[in-house]
Amino acid sequence: MDNILHKVKKKIDDVTVSPEETVECPGCKTTQQKLKVLKNNMVCPDCGHHFRMSARTRIEFITDKNSFKELFDNLSSIDFLEFPKYKEKLETAQKNTGEKEAVVCGTARIGGIKCALFVMDPRFIMASMGSVVGEKITRTFEYAEKKRLPVVGFTASGGARMQEGVTSLMQMAKVSAAVKKHSKDCNLYITVLTDPTTGGVTASFAMQGDIILAEPKALVGFAGRRVVEQTIGKKLPDDFQSAEFLLKHGFVDAIVPRSEMVKTLSTLLKMHVKG
Amino acid sequence: MNAYEKLKTARQSGRPTSAAYIKQIFTDAIELHGDRRYGDDPAILSGIAYLGDTPVTYIGIEKGVDLQDRMKRHFGCPEPEGYRKALRLMKQAEKFSRPVICFVDTLGAYCGDEAEERGQGQAIAENIMEMSGLRTPVISVVIGEGGSGGALALATADRVYMLENAVYSVISPEGCASIIWKDSGMVEQAAECLHITARDMQHFGVAETIIKEDPKHFDKMCAALKKQLERDVDYLSSLSHDMLVDGRYKRFRKFGIYNEEEV
């Protein structure tokens, strides 16, 4: 699983802002006021670039006011392989994000309809999937199955977390089995692919939704661009592995800009309410 | 042997590939081709054969024997069509209540631009999810390399065996070394840190059985492997479909090591 973490880390956008702070838009390279970007749902007012979002900001933006109830936040990671630099990585990520791990789960209402929700946070070790991420998402599906709730999942990930060795790989199977069980009971699962969704997350629950949406220009792929370029011995076009590229090749249902996201999700959820 | 030496052994050219095991273990094998969607991936050998008296579906990742053959098969790195062919045959096996035997030997799924265009991630995701609910026994044998998601797509099984010198890893040790130390030369350390050996797999519950290797007596080794397969196929076939799928769910449900605070 190619981990593109080191390459994209520099582009992460911090969302805690003061009004005078500015940020360079990765889309059009102009300098933007952070507050303005924030108020515009973290979308560049000039070019429409969708900035990366923290899980909490995303939840606030997508769910009905005060409807979110967090679940499974009592789980945290252990460096059980004593893997080089993993402990420090976890501590730094926790300090910088205020989160215990790379995914926030719970229940909420979207457009008045109750659902289970998981939102991955790319600021936390590029939301790579280790035991805790896998366990929390699995529990979310099991909870939703028991309560007969739809699941809405926002994916972002560098892939499986190699610092947890093969156990992180097994999370792909663990979550997938829970998705299957939830699905067999005729429950709805909507995935929203956000920038960047790669590796083992693409090769498992990101691609298992009944309906797969994506944010504009989100990077979505299995192998990293550099690895693919090395394999085929040529440069790849800029739009390779973009949400638009996936749409063209038939792997996402629709690209939904952030301004339309709540409306789209609400409508889809409403269409699947069981009578 | 340390992890790195095992990695080198698992990759050694001349090591038996899936085709050799299929020939040695099964009888009356009939190869079945194609994914009925786009093409036929030579990196996956699959079909129906007898395991003793029992018809089974076999699916093996094939690295190839000589250079030309290996190139044709992308050195055992399957394309999406390979995974879709495998899934087609697994569904067929389910329909006819045939056990499925997989042989895993890959550095990983093929990393080409066209593989991405045709949904490499989606193909693997679908295999893993569908295998988790397959209502027929599935046994996977890692005979060489078990490379990441590309291996798991044929190893979401009721039982996993590791050959004594086979390895199974979330990322290639080379890839890991270049990310952690920015130096792909640190492979030996990476292999050690990642815990990739058959013994490690048994320790983490990823594999139930280790098959002893005997390069000088391949036929004897295959006879032992065949015996183990027959035993497990017999047992798994005696379970009801619900029990089988439930057992598989639990097998994967248990993975994960973490702290849990009391609420």
Side-chain angles (χ1 to χ4, degrees):
Chain A
M1 204 144 313
D2 183 59
N3 193 322
I4 56 156
L5 166 164
H6 59 292
K7 209 176 150 191
V8 273
K9 197 157 60 184
K10 290 187 203 88
K11 286 199 277 174
I12 288 286
D13 321 301
D14 190 356
V15 290
T16 49
V17 286
S18 61
E20 64 274 14
E21 273 182 277
T22 58
V23 62
E24 194 198 72
C25 171
C28 59
K29 311 284 176 217
T30 56
T31 304
Q32 298 286 341
Q33 262 187 305
K34 263 196 179 179
L35 194 67
K36 231 167 134 187
V37 172
L38 195 60
K39 279 190 173 155
N40 196 35
N41 294 326
M42 302 278 292
V43 174
C44 173
D46 286 350
C47 75
H49 170 80
H50 284 51
F51 284 73
R52 288 180 185 169
M53 250 179 173
S54 75
R56 303 277 166 190
T57 311
R58 175 91 62 189
I59 289 166
E60 200 170 310
F61 150 70
I62 216 79
T63 60
D64 297 358
K65 216 177 155 106
N66 298 325
S67 71
F68 180 68
K69 291 191 183 66
E70 189 163 1
L71 288 169
F72 321 124
D73 61 335
N74 57 328
L75 306 185
S76 55
S77 293
I78 307 174
D79 177 21
F80 57 89
L81 292 181
E82 295 179 10
F83 201 96
K85 304 179 205 167
Y86 185 32
K87 224 183 202 149
E88 293 85 335
K89 249 190 160 51
L90 281 170
E91 283 167 8
T92 310
Q94 284 165 348
K95 214 176 94 200
N96 290 347
T97 62
E99 300 291 349
K100 272 196 215 138
E101 253 300 336
V103 67
V104 179
C105 304
T107 58
R109 285 181 188 278
I110 298 174
I113 297 166
K114 195 171 174 187
C115 61
L117 186 72
F118 71 85
V119 183
M120 302 179 85
D121 196 323
R123 301 168 310 153
F124 196 107
I125 321 186
M126 195 41 79
S128 61
M129 171 164 63
S131 295
V132 171
V133 170
E135 183 67 24
K136 285 176 82 168
I137 298 176
T138 300
R139 288 190 191 189
T140 302
F141 276 96
E142 288 176 336
Y143 180 89
E145 187 205 347
K146 214 165 77 193
K147 305 270 179 186
R148 302 190 63 79
L149 291 174
V151 174
V152 176
F154 286 82
T155 63
S157 186
R161 190 174 292 173
M162 64 180 169
Q163 291 88 343
E164 294 188 14
V166 76
T167 302
S168 67
L169 184 68
M170 293 302 131
Q171 303 309 307
M172 291 167 64
K174 183 169 85 176
V175 178
S176 299
V179 173
K180 176 81 185 170
K181 242 179 140 186
H182 176 260
S183 172
K184 258 199 305 215
D185 241 13
C186 301
N187 294 306
L188 172 71
Y189 170 33
I190 302 175
T191 49
V192 185
L193 312 175
T194 75
D195 189 59
T197 298
T198 64
V201 167
T202 299
S204 60
F205 57 86
M207 285 294 164
Q208 291 164 350
D210 297 298
I211 294 166
I212 302 177
L213 308 176
E215 288 201 318
K217 305 246 171 76
L219 168 73
V220 182
F222 175 64
R225 167 185 285 266
R226 212 162 29 101
V227 176
V228 178
E229 285 181 339
Q230 273 168 12
T231 305
I232 61 169
K234 60 179 183 203
K235 288 279 285 171
L236 292 161
D238 284 346
D239 73 336
F240 184 68
Q241 295 180 327
S242 64
E244 291 72 14
F245 172 94
L246 265 81
L247 184 76
K248 182 176 148 203
H249 291 288
F251 290 97
V252 300
D253 287 296
I255 294 174
V256 180
R258 226 167 255 170
S259 53
E260 299 287 317
M261 190 60 79
V262 174
K263 199 178 122 210
T264 306
L265 286 175
S266 303
T267 309
L268 284 171
L269 286 167
K270 203 172 149 200
M271 286 168 166
H272 289 83
V273 170
K274 292 165 200 158
Chain B
M1 271 198 255
N2 66 19
Y4 181 57
E5 286 158 346
K6 292 219 182 234
L7 176 73
K8 283 199 295 191
T9 307
R11 287 177 178 172
Q12 222 157 44
S13 68
R15 188 178 167 86
T17 58
S18 287
Y21 289 91
I22 291 163
K23 193 168 165 215
Q24 189 72 31
I25 292 171
F26 304 121
T27 49
D28 294 338
I30 296 173
E31 189 176 352
L32 302 176
H33 292 274
D35 68 349
R36 303 291 190 273
R37 296 283 186 275
Y38 180 85
D40 182 44
D41 183 1
I44 300 269
L45 282 181
S46 51
I48 315 173
Y50 280 106
L51 171 71
D53 299 327
T54 312
V56 298
T57 290
Y58 67 86
I59 300 167
I61 305 179
E62 176 57 36
K63 283 188 171 175
V65 284
D66 54 45
L67 185 64
Q68 212 175 4
D69 191 32
R70 289 167 80 88
M71 281 171 66
K72 184 179 94 180
R73 301 179 195 279
H74 280 151
F75 299 84
C77 296
E79 300 219 46
E81 297 74 55
Y83 293 113
R84 291 183 183 126
K85 170 166 67 173
L87 184 59
R88 177 175 79 83
L89 293 183
M90 285 191 255
K91 291 280 189 188
Q92 185 189 76
E94 181 181 54
K95 176 176 173 184
F96 298 106
S97 293
R98 272 196 298 269
V100 178
I101 315 285
C102 298
F103 298 94
V104 175
D105 190 12
T106 183
L107 177 66
Y110 186 64
C111 295
D113 52 342
E114 292 178 2
E116 292 289 321
E117 282 176 7
R118 298 199 296 271
Q120 187 67 283
Q122 188 275 338
I124 295 170
E126 190 169 5
N127 274 29
I128 296 172
M129 183 165 83
E130 291 306 319
M131 284 181 87
S132 78
L134 206 69
R135 295 170 77 78
T136 197
V138 187
I139 301 173
S140 296
V141 189
V142 184
I143 59 168
E145 287 183 275
S148 152
L152 185 63
L154 291 182
T156 308
D158 301 300
R159 297 283 184 277
V160 174
Y161 309 165
M162 296 284 297
L163 255 56
E164 190 182 351
N165 296 318
V167 295
Y168 200 168
S169 182
V170 61
I171 183 171
S172 74
E174 286 81 0
C176 172
S178 74
I179 292 169
I180 297 287
W181 293 288
K182 315 265 175 266
D183 177 3
S184 56
M186 302 280 280
V187 191
E188 196 161 349
Q189 288 80 347
E192 211 55 58
C193 293
L194 285 166
H195 293 76
I196 59 174
T197 68
R199 213 169 268 283
D200 293 323
M201 291 314 116
Q202 210 171 30
H203 172 74
F204 289 112
V206 171
E208 281 81 7
T209 306
I210 298 178
I211 306 290
K212 260 190 102 52
E213 292 190 25
D214 187 353
K216 289 202 186 97
H217 302 99
F218 183 66
D219 51 341
K220 273 192 192 156
M221 184 178 117
C222 284
L225 175 54
K226 185 181 169 198
K227 213 175 230 168
Q228 182 71 40
L229 285 169
E230 287 178 321
R231 240 194 324 257
D232 282 336
V233 161
D234 271 355
Y235 171 70
L236 295 167
S237 302
S238 74
L239 304 176
S240 73
H241 289 158
D242 285 345
M243 274 171 77
L244 186 71
V245 172
D246 194 45
R248 199 180 302 137
Y249 190 85
K250 286 184 180 133
R251 187 183 185 279
F252 287 93
R253 184 65 188 85
K254 68 176 191 280
F255 291 116
I257 303 169
Y258 47 83
N259 258 326
E260 181 159 15
E261 288 164 42
E262 283 191 40
V263 220

